Amino acid sequence: LGEEGLLADMRKIEANARHLLGLINDVLDLSKIEAERMEIYAEAFPVAETVRDVAATVESLVDKKGNSLALEIADDLGEAQTDQTKLRQCLINLLSNAAKFTEAGRITLAVRRTAREGAAWLVFRVTDTGIGMNAEQQAKLFQRFTQADASTTRRFGGTGLGLAITRAFAEMLGGRIEVESEEGA
């Protein structure tokens, strides 16, 4: 019994340490972005493989509230030339958010190629069957240290930094991020 009790305590300590490390990393990323010291390390990598790796990374978060994660990966994704680490962080942040606000539902990550204004684009779309947001909440979504309201922070936790960092990274990589939602859906 003693060792089992220690294991449970050690798991709690580890989970809290990981949580604190995540908060510290977010604040450091934010500081680098504001100081314009964040660097891009572009490399070629297979997009589908990276998407599958990201899905595996968030699997336990998705499962935690009884959700399922579906991948819709187009056949023609090929390789991308960008900062793979920042792209991964964007996708993990988006999927983590979807998992946080969805219970016994479905989260989908769809990836496809498209052409816009003569340029090739990769489009990543995260959808979920979670609680949704009204227009006022959507307007605040990418503001730093901001969440929908105080009850959201109490009920779901978080700092309100993940999506602000995600937007900054998406823009640094030459992309953009948008949201579509309706309350309760």
Side-chain angles (χ1 to χ4, degrees), residues 62-63 65-70 102-108 127-129:
V62 170
D63 292 344
K65 289 190 174 182
N67 295 308
S68 64
L69 176 61
T102 305
E103 196 164 331
R106 181 179 175 92
I107 299 165
T108 304
T127 56
D128 63 63
T129 58

Side-chain angles (χ1 to χ4, degrees), residues 126-144:
V126 175
T127 56
D128 63 63
T129 58
I131 61 174
M133 294 175 285
N134 61 35
E136 184 182 338
Q137 291 167 330
Q138 289 177 54
K140 296 179 190 173
L141 190 61
F142 298 104
Q143 293 176 14
R144 294 166 182 174

Side-chain angles (χ1 to χ4, degrees), residues 7 9 11 27 43-45 53 58 70 78 81 84 89 101 109-110 114 117 120 136 138 142 146 175:
L7 268 176
D9 289 342
R11 285 190 190 107
V27 170
E43 60 185 316
F45 60 90
D53 288 348
V58 299
Q81 177 78 26
Q84 183 180 15
Q89 189 170 345
F101 296 102
L109 171 55
T114 190
E117 300 164 9
E136 184 182 338
Q138 289 177 54
F142 298 104
T146 303

Side-chain angles (χ1 to χ4, degrees), residues 1-160:
L1 179 68
E3 286 183 21
E4 279 302 312
L6 280 175
L7 268 176
D9 289 342
M10 292 300 287
R11 285 190 190 107
K12 288 177 188 172
I13 291 168
E14 180 186 20
N16 286 327
R18 287 186 189 280
H19 176 70
L20 288 172
L21 181 61
L23 295 176
I24 291 166
N25 283 334
D26 283 351
V27 170
L28 290 173
D29 281 348
L30 191 59
S31 298
K32 285 182 189 175
I33 290 165
E34 287 179 347
E36 296 180 2
R37 296 273 188 205
M38 185 63 73
E39 295 182 28
I40 303 290
Y41 300 100
E43 60 185 316
F45 60 90
V47 178
E49 184 180 316
T50 297
V51 169
R52 286 187 190 94
D53 288 348
V54 165
T57 300
V58 299
E59 190 174 0
S60 64
L61 284 172
V62 170
D63 292 344
K64 194 174 183 179
K65 289 190 174 182
N67 295 308
S68 64
L69 176 61
L71 296 179
E72 296 175 2
I73 301 174
D75 293 331
D76 63 345
L77 293 180
E79 287 196 334
Q81 177 78 26
T82 192
D83 190 316
Q84 183 180 15
T85 302
K86 287 178 182 58
L87 174 62
R88 283 175 57 87
Q89 189 170 345
C90 288
L91 294 175
I92 288 169
N93 284 350
L94 293 172
L95 290 168
S96 297
N97 242 45
K100 186 190 301 187
F101 296 102
T102 305
E103 196 164 331
R106 181 179 175 92
I107 299 165
T108 304
L109 171 55
V111 188
R112 63 182 172 84
R113 283 202 174 270
T114 190
R116 285 191 192 151
E117 300 164 9
W121 284 78
L122 279 168
V123 178
F124 300 88
R125 185 185 216 48
V126 175
T127 56
D128 63 63
T129 58
I131 61 174
M133 294 175 285
N134 61 35
E136 184 182 338
Q137 291 167 330
Q138 289 177 54
K140 296 179 190 173
L141 190 61
F142 298 104
Q143 293 176 14
R144 294 166 182 174
F145 300 109
T146 303
Q147 291 189 309
D149 54 44
S151 68
T152 302
T153 305
R154 278 194 310 277
R155 184 171 168 203
F156 298 101
T159 59

